[in-house]
Amino acid sequence: VRVPRAALHVCYCFTPMRYIWDLYDEYFGARAGWVPRHLMPLVAPALRRWDVTTSQRVHHFVAISSHVAERVARCYGRPAEVVYPPVDLSRFSLSEESDDYYLVVSALAPYKRVDLAVEAANLLRRRLLIVGNGQEERRLRAMAGPTVEFLGWQGDEEVAELYARCRALLFPGIEDFGITPLEAMATGKPVIAFGRGGVRDTVVPVDHGVESPTGLFFFEQTPEALVDAIRRFEANAHRFDPKALRVHASAFDRPLFKERIAACLARYWEKFAASDRGSSLDRADRAC
């Protein structure tokens, strides 16, 4: 985005372009089509140069997680403040009851690694419900055993009810932030997550000796590591307090996000207005 000299340019960054930086192989590796697999090696270097050059137009970056802030620093050489995106807590009700199933809520894309959840459910013969659709659906259905059920797309109310009744949410991919873990926590349900990415900002793992854990991590993206994590969860299920889980999720609620982003913008504007660029502008210019 090109802005007038009078404008303060703040980027609330979900992520630098993942498909040309960190997840190139996931998008354009062996399972990609012939055209993108052969075209992207020619295009990607130019895209990276353009991305870095245009990032310099931004006065301040605000990242959605520490994971993204690190990526902004690595890719653009710029610092980024972290303001977590909001979860609409009002959509979810606390539940202290659970049915006998694990849950995945995700687009069925390769980098989401839903295949790990399917394989772990097959190995353990645990019931797994999968909400979502996408390009991986046919492959995942083919590998799924009798305990795995695909529910396709579901509306907000249906998803909230599925969170409320699950034993835990399985989150096997690397996400820039990850809203679904907090949505599960808002209903009082813990999270079993691969321990990289945005979940390190939102999940308090049980093995850290804390009073109120909200989930646990596994650290290898293999079915065996997820199987071990599910077994550890089942051995420690009594340690997860639904009320404490909801309290933890409430720290990410929408009103708090509005306060934090407003305070952030006010600080940046004060600094901008006091700068040489800002001090030369009249009130009308600043308003635009």
Side-chain angles (χ1 to χ4, degrees):
V1 175
R2 295 181 181 273
V3 302
R5 179 176 171 80
L8 170 66
H9 187 177
V10 179
C11 173
Y12 188 54
C13 186
F14 287 5
T15 177
M17 288 187 284
R18 285 178 301 188
Y19 59 87
I20 62 166
W21 295 107
D22 288 5
L23 296 178
Y24 182 90
D25 288 340
E26 284 81 350
Y27 282 92
F28 305 113
R31 289 166 60 190
W34 188 92
V35 172
R37 200 167 66 247
H38 289 80
L39 182 63
M40 282 308 295
L42 305 175
V43 175
L47 273 176
R48 292 189 188 104
R49 288 192 298 271
W50 173 81
D51 195 31
V52 171
T53 299
T54 56
S55 73
Q56 303 309 306
R57 300 173 187 160
V58 176
H59 295 127
H60 300 280
F61 280 94
V62 182
I64 63 172
S65 67
S66 301
H67 179 67
V68 170
E70 182 275 330
R71 189 181 285 156
V72 169
R74 176 164 42 85
C75 297
Y76 299 158
R78 302 287 303 278
E81 183 171 351
V82 176
V83 175
Y84 300 122
V87 173
D88 187 0
L89 210 70
S90 65
R91 280 182 50 209
F92 306 99
S93 299
L94 177 66
S95 170
E96 300 192 55
E97 305 283 327
S98 296
D99 291 345
D100 191 24
Y101 67 85
Y102 292 95
L103 181 66
V104 168
V105 179
S106 174
L108 304 184
Y111 79 94
K112 301 284 188 177
R113 296 311 310 270
V114 178
D115 59 306
L116 298 180
V118 172
E119 291 188 67
N122 289 345
L123 290 168
L124 287 170
R125 296 188 176 276
R126 298 297 193 272
R127 189 177 178 214
L128 173 66
L129 303 186
I130 298 175
V131 175
N133 47 36
Q135 69 199 85
E136 286 276 277
E137 183 169 351
R138 180 178 296 179
R139 185 176 82 91
L140 294 171
R141 284 182 178 274
M143 67 190 298
T147 64
V148 180
E149 185 177 351
F150 291 84
L151 303 180
W153 182 90
Q154 298 287 311
D156 287 349
E157 290 184 10
E158 291 83 2
V159 171
E161 181 64 21
L162 288 163
Y163 282 134
R165 293 175 15 234
C166 74
R167 297 180 71 175
L169 179 78
L170 304 186
F171 196 79
I174 303 173
E175 290 287 354
D176 302 318
F177 179 68
I179 288 286
T180 57
L182 286 166
E183 292 180 341
M185 291 178 216
T187 69
K189 297 304 156 61
V191 179
I192 302 171
F194 182 57
R196 285 183 57 194
V199 291
R200 296 186 67 86
D201 289 1
T202 60
V203 175
V204 181
V206 70
D207 50 3
H208 280 201
V210 294
E211 270 189 39
S212 301
T214 65
L216 54 80
F217 291 146
F218 62 100
F219 294 98
E220 294 179 8
Q221 280 186 312
T222 65
E224 293 76 18
L226 180 50
V227 163
D228 177 67
I230 292 170
R231 286 178 171 152
R232 283 189 289 123
F233 165 75
E234 292 174 353
N236 289 276
H238 62 284
R239 297 186 56 188
F240 297 100
D241 176 7
K243 292 177 182 175
L245 282 155
R246 185 169 174 88
V247 167
H248 179 76
S250 70
F252 300 83
D253 201 6
R254 291 178 71 180
L256 293 174
F257 167 77
K258 291 179 181 180
E259 290 176 13
R260 290 167 184 154
I261 203 73
C264 182
L265 292 171
R267 264 188 290 110
Y268 292 154
W269 176 252
E270 184 177 2
K271 182 178 179 181
F272 179 78
S275 67
D276 290 341
R277 176 180 294 184
S279 61
S280 66
L281 304 171
D282 61 28
R283 187 175 299 274
D285 285 335
R286 292 180 186 183
C288 80

